[in-house]
Amino acid sequence: MFKGKIKIFVIFSLVIALITILQLILPKPIDWTRNYQSKKKTPFGTYAIHNLLKPTYARQVTANNQTFYNLQEFAKDSSTLIFIDDELNFSKVDFTAMYKFLKKGNSVFITASSFSGILADSLKLNTIFNYENYYGTFDSLFNKKGETLKFCASNLRSKKYQYSALARIMAFSNFDSTLFKSILVTESGKAVAIKADINGGQLIICCAPDIFANYFIANKITRPVAYHLLSYIDNKYLVWDENYKRFNEKSYSPLKFIFGNPALHTAYLLTLITLILYMIFEGRRRQRIIPQIEPNTNTTLEFVNVISHVYYNSQGHQNIAQEKIKYFYETIRKRFNVNTSQINQHLINEVSILSGVEEKIVKNLFNYCEKILKLTELSDLELIELNRQIYVFNKNSIR
């Protein structure tokens, strides 16, 4: 099959290898996806802040890959559960489990751009964002001024932190002011982070997850904002959530890994295109014309047709009628399992019931057959009438 095609395969292999090497050598495009995953070193990953937690803010940091309901059974006392994601939507079961978690004296630190479901409804959370400063290319957003944040604490109130427009800083347009108090606000006074003491535990909610992104932590003057927010946590055991993230690594698949790597993605597509082209052109070259085979002729039918014409042309109508009646009676015996040696009313009734044909038609047929058998000569019309009555009977018979 591959004889004579070695050159083609060598060329395609070299092309694939060349493209793969070029993809590996060329600088990789920056991934600006807001995934907030602890293992990602991309601008909006959280690798930097995650690695600062253990030595500075906690004695132990563990990753969570299960639901809130299951987590509370394994969490230690004086634990803090940290959620950082673009959007957060708890189920009713998760929300109830969070309150039980807080009742044990634990803390929950939630950071998301938007909130929905029972979490937003129960705590009256609603966020807004000034999109006027956000539109533009990444290059323009780097140098464009965005929101300015400041803390409400008396020892930090004098310090202000200017973010670039690249940071998507949301603000609370509404929250339960009887339960929460602001700890971080914009320059115009809108709350960005709020805190509440619930059931003996501490709940902190922030609507600016970009504060904890790698880009704004590594060598940026805004990194103290993340540090000060984390300083509100006084528990020594931190649980970092990865279960509720939109970019959950548990849903990873081999194809997702290939498509996430530009070199592998290009090689994968090139291989598919090569296979498709090979099947198209190779299939066309090897296709042959399928010869048309004439079906075998039924010589028995031809023989019967010849004999019938011989009988008919020789005017032997009586012989034809006798053979036809003899064949008809033989068919009746085999089909209905009856005795045709005597044609009587009992036979007629039995054949009528078994065949489903009217008794009158059956009676006329048998009488006509007996009449024909007694004749010495037969006309064309009488022979045709015999054939018609037998045909009508066979057509209407249910067996």
Side-chain angles (χ1 to χ4, degrees):
M1 177 179 177
F2 298 101
K3 188 176 180 180
K5 306 295 186 302
I6 297 177
K7 291 183 178 180
I8 297 176
F9 284 101
V10 170
I11 292 173
F12 277 122
S13 300
L14 290 175
V15 171
I16 293 173
L18 180 61
I19 293 177
T20 305
I21 293 171
L22 287 176
Q23 289 287 347
L24 292 173
I25 294 175
L26 293 174
K28 296 180 180 179
I30 299 175
D31 182 10
W32 294 98
T33 306
R34 285 178 162 83
N35 53 70
Y36 304 111
Q37 289 180 344
S38 60
K39 296 180 181 179
K40 296 290 186 180
K41 297 181 180 180
T42 56
F44 290 101
T46 54
Y47 178 84
I49 194 67
H50 182 266
N51 282 271
L52 290 172
L53 291 176
K54 186 173 181 180
T56 309
Y57 298 97
R59 186 182 306 166
Q60 180 180 341
V61 179
T62 57
N64 171 49
N65 289 299
Q66 53 189 342
T67 62
F68 215 144
Y69 179 79
N70 295 324
L71 174 67
Q72 64 175 344
E73 300 178 5
F74 304 100
K76 298 180 180 180
D77 294 334
S78 300
S79 297
T80 298
L81 182 58
I82 298 178
F83 294 90
I84 301 178
D85 200 6
D86 192 31
E87 180 180 356
L88 197 60
N89 181 10
F90 282 162
S91 66
K92 187 175 181 180
V93 175
D94 293 330
F95 188 74
T96 304
M98 184 185 75
Y99 264 78
K100 291 181 179 179
F101 186 78
L102 291 170
K103 193 174 182 180
K104 295 179 180 180
N106 299 315
S107 301
V108 177
F109 189 96
I110 297 175
T111 307
S113 297
S114 61
F115 306 89
S116 57
I118 189 171
L119 180 66
D121 296 338
S122 300
L123 303 179
K124 302 177 183 179
L125 301 177
N126 191 21
T127 58
I128 56 173
F129 178 62
N130 184 11
Y131 285 95
E132 294 180 2
N133 297 327
Y134 189 69
Y135 289 110
T137 62
F138 280 112
D139 293 336
S140 63
L141 294 176
F142 283 130
N143 302 317
K144 191 176 182 180
K145 289 184 178 181
E147 290 286 354
T148 300
L149 302 182
K150 60 181 180 179
F151 284 91
C152 299
S154 58
N155 60 331
L156 299 173
R157 193 174 300 171
S158 59
K159 297 181 180 180
K160 296 182 181 180
Y161 300 93
Q162 176 72 58
Y163 281 85
S164 66
L166 183 65
R168 192 165 60 184
I169 306 295
M170 312 293 285
F172 287 108
S173 61
N174 186 40
F175 63 91
D176 190 349
S177 58
T178 62
L179 183 63
F180 291 96
K181 66 176 182 179
S182 301
I183 58 176
L184 179 67
V185 296
T186 62
E187 197 170 24
S188 60
K190 293 187 178 296
V192 176
I194 53 180
K195 175 187 174 184
D197 293 326
I198 300 177
N199 293 337
Q202 185 177 236
L203 176 61
I204 300 173
I205 302 178
C206 177
C207 58
D210 284 0
I211 291 174
F212 300 93
N214 293 329
Y215 181 80
F216 299 101
I217 295 294
N219 300 323
K220 292 292 179 181
I221 59 174
T222 55
R223 62 182 181 274
V225 177
Y227 301 158
H228 292 320
L229 281 175
L230 290 175
S231 66
Y232 282 91
I233 302 171
D234 55 4
N235 295 331
K236 299 302 180 183
Y237 299 100
L238 298 184
V239 182
W240 181 279
D241 175 72
E242 292 287 350
N243 181 71
Y244 290 90
K245 283 182 167 53
R246 289 191 304 132
F247 294 90
N248 195 332
E249 290 185 347
K250 291 192 296 185
S251 62
Y252 223 62
S253 64
L255 282 180
K256 193 172 183 180
F257 174 75
I258 292 174
F259 293 152
N261 189 307
L264 292 177
H265 187 197
T266 304
Y268 180 78
L269 292 178
L270 188 58
T271 303
L272 286 181
I273 294 172
T274 302
L275 290 174
I276 292 171
L277 291 176
Y278 176 78
M279 287 189 291
I280 293 173
F281 290 104
E282 190 67 13
R284 291 184 59 186
R285 290 186 63 183
R286 291 183 176 273
Q287 186 176 2
R288 296 178 181 178
I289 299 175
I290 301 174
Q292 184 176 1
I293 302 175
E294 296 291 338
N296 295 327
T297 56
N298 194 334
T299 55
T300 303
L301 293 177
E302 293 181 357
F303 176 75
V304 172
N305 188 38
V306 171
I307 296 301
S308 62
H309 277 82
V310 171
Y311 271 97
Y312 189 81
N313 292 331
S314 63
Q315 299 298 317
H317 297 337
Q318 182 63 27
N319 293 332
I320 296 175
Q322 290 177 357
E323 293 295 332
K324 194 168 188 63
I325 293 171
K326 187 187 298 182
Y327 178 75
F328 173 66
Y329 282 1
E330 177 68 21
T331 304
I332 292 295
R333 287 193 295 271
K334 291 182 178 180
R335 186 182 300 175
F336 304 112
N337 197 22
V338 295
N339 186 4
T340 59
S341 59
Q342 291 185 355
I343 307 300
N344 50 35
Q345 188 61 36
H346 175 72
L347 174 63
I348 293 172
N349 291 338
E350 194 172 3
V351 172
S352 176
I353 293 171
L354 294 174
S355 65
V357 182
E358 295 182 11
E359 182 181 342
K360 181 179 179 181
I361 296 175
V362 176
K363 184 176 182 180
N364 291 337
L365 175 58
F366 278 109
N367 289 338
Y368 193 76
C369 290
E370 292 299 315
K371 175 184 174 183
I372 294 298
L373 291 174
K374 295 176 181 179
L375 296 177
T376 56
E377 292 185 1
L378 199 65
S379 66
D380 293 347
L381 295 178
E382 290 172 328
L383 180 60
I384 293 172
E385 177 63 19
L386 173 65
N387 183 73
R388 187 192 67 80
Q389 290 194 28
I390 293 175
Y391 173 77
V392 169
F393 174 82
N394 290 330
K395 182 180 179 181
N396 295 325
S397 178
I398 62 175
R399 295 177 62 181

